[in-house]
Amino acid sequence: MKIKNAHLTHSSGPLGQDLHLKAGEITLLGGDSGSGKTSLMLCISGFKDLKAGEMEPAPQAVAMLLQNPFHQIIMQKAYDELLFPMKNAGMADGEAQAELSKIANMLKIEHLLDRDMNTLSFGETQLLMIAATCLSPANIYCFDEATSHLDPPYIKLFYAVLRYLADKNKIILASTQSLDEYAFADNVIILNKGSIQDVYSKAEWKNQLKKASIKTDRQLIINKLEGLAK
Amino acid sequence: MKLLPFTFKINDDLCLINTLKIDLKNQRSETRNKRPEIRNQESGIRNQESGIRNHPCLAILGPVGSGKSLLIKLLADSNLHEIAAYSDYPFCAYLSQDLTRLFTGNSIASLLEIYQDKRYSVGQHFNKTLFDTVAEKFELTQLIKENRRLMHYSEGERQRLGISLAAAVEAKVTILDEPTTALNIKHRLALYDMIREMKSRTKVIIISHRFLDCLSVADHFIRMENLEIKEHFTLKEIIEKEHILSYYLG
């Protein structure tokens, strides 16, 4: 999918470069708060219109997880919440249940399936809604800071599920603030004030981290622990 | 008295935490509306409570769904006003995990007006000068001048605003529940500085799934699992806790 000559919002500048999102790849969006990560995803998902520019082909069947997962809850029971997007798309019961168990197993959320949605914690809700988004039949998947309340083991599982979707030839777009998560992606796009600042491949991004001597959370934690040991 | 979202009463005597593990289980069960029982149980935590109390910053660790936020909500007495045991304690500043629920629809100016309204408890504890200082540190001055509706700010901008508001409420205890959500590393470092400064005037309780946040500011840790407090230890002791290090570092 290509986004050409785009201008995201009224208050920001033009995107600057054309954006090419490839099927089968995980693309991560980075950048400061207010840089346009959410706006870009909302435009792709059709919640918002581009101020200018066009998307080719026009995106169809997009599943998006919003920044606040509570805004997307439809059903009362967790199991029904996961089943709903597939039933809504007319999928057969058996097929839907098989897919549900597969994703639930990958994300290790089987123990949550019989809970009421309103008894779940923020992190648990986020996991459940990640699963619900992944289970929605779509060609493009957008995840807006979906890992904001997850701890490291679950973040790994999340990216494993994204890889599973990418392997099915879907377009995957996710935003994050954590530098550690870039290791899981194929491409990294850094936004700044509504414009694309840089586009990196995985290898280029690694070099960039080294070149600019940017430290990831992991490295900072190890440094702290070494300091404590002394 | 009706309290505003960021401010609740809290028990600053953390030895009561050990009785809360019983309450937590009741909270999650089907009998949600029943009055939780409070039992006095002796435990290691109670015996060493003075140790905990002396530390100015406490971090709560634990996996997703282990009851970290629930514990804080119980301490902050946000939805359990019927538990008289916690109602006599001083006022606390509280940054909730879910900001959009508190914010939607207002502009920054109207929000600040409510925060400065002396009729509410929060207004009696709110320090506008302090707010301006913190807001400047988080690069909010321009955004506040723009005074858009809160729903038109990004999540990171709202989060910084939430932190500034909570930090400007002068209370004996300040609770920050996942304060680094949607913050970039630069603002996270500013937050660490802010918490280190705050420690001289208030006790800080922080919950974060980001281990770096807790390591950078906390003096004491509580680890929760399955709605129970499993252990507590100081910052120096953490290097011996291999199960925790391998959990966060993989």
Side-chain angles (χ1 to χ4, degrees):
Chain A
M1 192 184 88
K2 280 182 183 162
I3 304 175
K4 291 179 179 170
N5 307 320
H7 203 132
L8 289 180
T9 60
H10 291 268
S11 53
S12 67
L15 206 52
Q17 327 176 2
D18 291 350
L19 200 60
H20 192 191
L21 300 173
K22 287 181 203 149
E25 289 188 351
I26 300 175
T27 305
L28 267 196
L29 289 178
D32 289 349
S33 55
S35 63
K37 304 185 289 293
T38 304
S39 296
L40 178 61
M41 285 203 239
L42 289 176
C43 288
I44 292 172
S45 313
F47 286 112
K48 238 179 174 180
D49 290 328
L50 285 172
K51 191 190 156 198
E54 53 187 331
M55 293 187 245
E56 265 180 23
Q60 281 176 339
V62 186
M64 177 169 177
L65 179 62
L66 299 172
Q67 215 157 12
N68 188 331
F70 289 107
H71 291 175
Q72 269 171 293
I73 296 170
I74 301 167
M75 310 299 270
Q76 195 186 353
K77 289 273 180 205
Y79 188 83
D80 296 341
E81 183 68 47
L82 296 191
L83 209 54
F84 176 77
M86 292 182 286
K87 288 204 137 191
N88 195 32
M91 205 187 268
D93 274 5
E95 197 187 341
Q97 279 159 7
E99 193 63 20
L100 192 157
S101 339
K102 184 159 194 180
I103 296 285
N105 181 273
M106 285 177 89
L107 276 172
K108 293 196 181 148
I109 50 168
E110 285 118 327
H111 63 291
L112 301 176
L113 293 181
D114 57 350
R115 291 264 294 272
D116 260 14
M117 288 304 282
N118 62 4
T119 63
L120 298 175
S121 79
F122 204 122
E124 287 170 336
T125 309
Q126 206 159 35
L127 277 172
L128 241 302
M129 296 315 287
I130 286 170
T133 311
C134 294
L135 287 168
S136 310
N139 300 320
I140 304 172
Y141 291 85
C142 297
F143 297 87
D144 195 358
E145 302 215 8
T147 54
S148 63
H149 290 83
L150 303 185
D151 31 5
Y154 277 114
I155 291 176
K156 265 190 198 164
L157 296 177
F158 167 66
Y159 282 100
V161 176
L162 291 200
R163 185 58 64 192
Y164 165 77
L165 288 176
D167 290 344
K168 285 179 159 184
N169 219 23
K170 313 283 186 190
I171 295 175
I172 315 283
L173 202 58
S175 71
T176 181
Q177 292 286 359
S178 168
L179 294 174
D180 300 57
E181 291 171 29
Y182 294 118
F184 299 106
D186 301 309
N187 302 297
V188 177
I189 297 172
I190 306 290
L191 293 170
N192 185 15
K193 292 179 185 160
S195 309
I196 296 178
Q197 188 178 312
D198 291 300
V199 180
Y200 300 101
S201 69
K202 193 174 185 170
E204 286 167 345
W205 174 255
K206 248 190 174 170
N207 283 337
Q208 175 66 16
L209 281 182
K210 260 190 201 161
K211 214 165 69 184
S213 61
I214 301 168
K215 287 199 170 101
T216 58
D217 258 31
R218 194 188 158 80
Q219 286 164 321
L220 289 170
I221 290 172
I222 291 171
N223 289 354
K224 281 248 174 237
L225 290 172
E226 281 170 354
L228 280 176
K230 278 174 196 167
Chain B
M1 187 188 298
K2 184 122 179 77
L3 299 176
L4 277 170
F6 277 136
T7 46
F8 301 105
K9 291 175 177 179
I10 190 184
N11 171 11
D12 71 340
D13 183 356
L14 281 167
C15 73
L16 259 179
I17 280 178
N18 75 314
T19 64
L20 283 174
K21 66 185 177 191
I22 302 150
D23 301 335
L24 289 176
K25 293 226 156 152
N26 280 343
Q27 271 294 292
R28 280 272 169 87
S29 70
E30 292 301 317
T31 58
R32 207 177 158 81
N33 294 326
K34 269 193 195 167
R35 187 188 170 102
E37 266 181 71
I38 300 172
R39 292 175 216 160
N40 273 319
Q41 264 194 354
E42 291 296 329
S43 81
I45 289 170
R46 189 178 193 95
N47 295 337
Q48 293 168 42
E49 45 99 358
S50 56
I52 294 181
R53 213 189 301 178
N54 291 339
H55 291 283
C57 184
L58 176 79
I60 305 179
L61 305 172
V64 169
S66 59
K68 305 185 291 291
S69 299
L70 194 58
L71 172 72
I72 282 307
K73 279 178 194 160
L74 276 165
L75 275 177
D77 194 11
S78 66
N79 49 11
L80 289 163
H81 293 290
E82 73 269 28
I83 305 180
Y86 309 130
S87 61
D88 294 336
Y89 288 94
F91 197 74
C92 92
Y94 179 44
L95 172 69
S96 165
Q97 205 170 8
D98 187 3
L99 292 181
T100 38
R101 288 184 174 192
L102 311 173
F103 275 179
T104 317
N106 287 323
S107 65
I108 291 190
S110 69
L111 193 68
L112 280 174
E113 224 169 80
I114 298 172
Y115 264 81
Q116 291 175 85
D117 192 331
K118 299 273 185 235
R119 287 175 299 174
Y120 300 109
S121 319
V122 69
Q124 293 156 18
H125 293 80
F126 190 73
N127 182 337
K128 179 69 171 38
T129 328
L130 193 56
F131 173 78
D132 290 338
T133 323
V134 180
E136 203 183 328
K137 234 181 248 175
F138 283 105
E139 299 173 339
L140 283 170
T141 319
Q142 183 56 32
L143 292 176
I144 292 170
K145 262 188 205 156
E146 285 172 19
N147 195 27
R148 284 178 264 159
R149 282 186 159 253
L150 285 163
M151 57 188 289
H152 294 153
Y153 291 95
S154 82
E155 188 79 3
E157 289 162 349
R158 276 197 294 242
Q159 183 74 22
R160 281 183 278 149
L161 181 67
I163 293 169
S164 310
L165 287 170
V169 174
E170 290 179 326
K172 280 193 179 167
V173 182
T174 303
I175 296 173
L176 303 170
D177 193 350
E178 301 275 11
T180 54
T181 306
L183 291 194
N184 61 14
I185 187 75
K186 186 175 146 202
H187 292 131
R188 280 169 65 192
L189 294 176
L191 175 79
Y192 302 159
D193 279 343
M194 186 196 87
I195 294 177
R196 282 185 210 118
E197 277 170 33
M198 277 167 80
K199 280 200 253 179
S200 58
R201 61 175 171 87
T202 172
K203 184 182 180 74
V204 182
I205 302 179
I206 180 171
I207 298 180
S208 179
H209 68 277
R210 286 176 167 159
F211 195 41
L212 181 64
D213 301 349
C214 302
L215 267 188
S216 302
V217 295
D219 312 288
H220 206 102
F221 294 82
I222 284 180
R223 184 174 71 84
M224 297 197 65
E225 202 181 300
N226 195 20
L227 307 183
E228 279 181 35
I229 295 166
K230 287 287 179 199
E231 56 185 328
H232 68 103
F233 43 85
T234 60
L235 179 62
K236 287 221 159 153
E237 285 164 346
I238 205 162
I239 39 176
E240 294 149 21
K241 307 277 176 190
E242 272 174 27
H243 55 290
I244 294 177
L245 301 184
S246 66
Y247 183 80
Y248 284 105
L249 293 171

